[in-house]
Amino acid sequence: MPEFAEEAEVAHDAKRVARVGLLAQRRARTEDERAAAAARVQAELTFLVHRLRPGRVAAYAPVGAEPGGPELPTLLADALPAGADLLLPVLRDDLDLDWAAWDGPQAMVAAGRGIREPTGPRLGLTAVATADLVVVPALAVDRRGVRLGRGGGSYDRALARVPATALTVTPLYDGELLAEVPAEPHDLPVRAVVTPTHGLLTLSGVVPHTSAGRIGGR
């Protein structure tokens, strides 16, 4: 087996092991812990939207034990300036992500892989490239910005379409910002994370309104 193939297999196996542990930790959190963490993450992200005043945000609807809570899309949309919009992902059969505009919780339906997605017109794979702020899920992120997803590769493909001018940020629980996560060549980094205790932390690159590693200097 070529060396690069061996390295890829090792990384793939390490990711699988890491996912099992991280998912178990999330499931072990109590409802009160999840609610408290969600409130802090929501406050940080809505502050960020107020600060940056983006014309378009691409985000997602957290499900289960994902940080941010199911109310996150509503709160992000309410924080947007007049005329701005919020896009949410629509999972395609090939696991790539299409996008549709958020039109309230009543316009969301259950979809594949346990996610919720909007029912509005599909805007295409490249709609995410028009967002100024992109909120991306992950099980963990490391100090380089490398994220560990659930293994479908959907967000790596989406991130490849996001311009360098956009801010990409991942909500996490405390303890999910790690020194290093297993990585493969196709893994694309995010530029910031939000945790309940430390708020918004930049990881790499130049982020607008940065002060002491935090956007807005809060």
Side-chain angles (χ1 to χ4, degrees), residues 55-63 69-80 83-90 98-109 115-123 127:
R56 171 169 279 179
V57 173
Y60 64 100
V63 295
E71 310 88 355
L72 183 60
T74 299
L75 295 172
L76 292 176
D78 289 347
L80 287 171
D85 61 357
L86 172 67
L87 304 185
L88 296 184
V90 178
D98 205 329
W99 300 85
W102 161 261
D103 194 27
Q106 75 286 349
M108 297 286 286
V109 296
I115 70 170
R116 295 180 299 138
E117 59 187 34
T119 58
R122 302 324 189 221
L123 303 177

Side-chain angles (χ1 to χ4, degrees), residues 192-217:
V193 299
V194 172
T195 70
T197 296
H198 298 292
L200 188 63
L201 301 171
T202 63
L203 301 174
S204 60
V206 178
V207 179
H209 310 294
T210 299
S211 175
R214 299 192 57 183
I215 295 177

Side-chain angles (χ1 to χ4, degrees), residues 10-20 148 182-184 186-187:
V10 168
H12 185 76
D13 290 344
K15 284 182 174 182
R16 184 169 59 249
V17 171
R19 286 188 189 104
V20 171
L148 179 67
E184 296 176 82
H186 64 265
D187 293 326

Side-chain angles (χ1 to χ4, degrees), residues 61-209:
V63 295
E66 287 185 321
E71 310 88 355
L72 183 60
T74 299
L75 295 172
L76 292 176
D78 289 347
L80 287 171
D85 61 357
L86 172 67
L87 304 185
L88 296 184
V90 178
L91 187 66
R92 293 171 20 134
D93 290 341
D94 63 359
L95 301 186
D96 210 336
L97 296 178
D98 205 329
W99 300 85
W102 161 261
D103 194 27
Q106 75 286 349
M108 297 286 286
V109 296
R113 298 204 163 199
I115 70 170
R116 295 180 299 138
E117 59 187 34
T119 58
R122 302 324 189 221
L123 303 177
L125 301 178
T126 59
V128 68
T130 64
D132 306 301
L133 171 65
V134 183
V135 183
V136 184
L139 297 174
V141 175
D142 72 17
R143 294 287 179 176
R144 303 165 297 172
V146 176
R147 50 180 292 280
L148 179 67
R150 289 179 177 262
S154 302
Y155 280 94
D156 287 314
R157 281 179 272 184
L159 286 170
R161 302 178 182 114
V162 175
T165 53
L167 174 60
T168 51
V169 58
T170 293
L172 298 172
Y173 287 106
D174 290 334
E176 294 179 346
L177 176 59
L178 306 178
E180 187 173 359
V181 300
E184 296 176 82
H186 64 265
D187 293 326
L188 295 175
V190 293
R191 297 172 65 190
V193 299
V194 172
T195 70
T197 296
H198 298 292
L200 188 63
L201 301 171
T202 63
L203 301 174
S204 60
V206 178
V207 179
H209 310 294

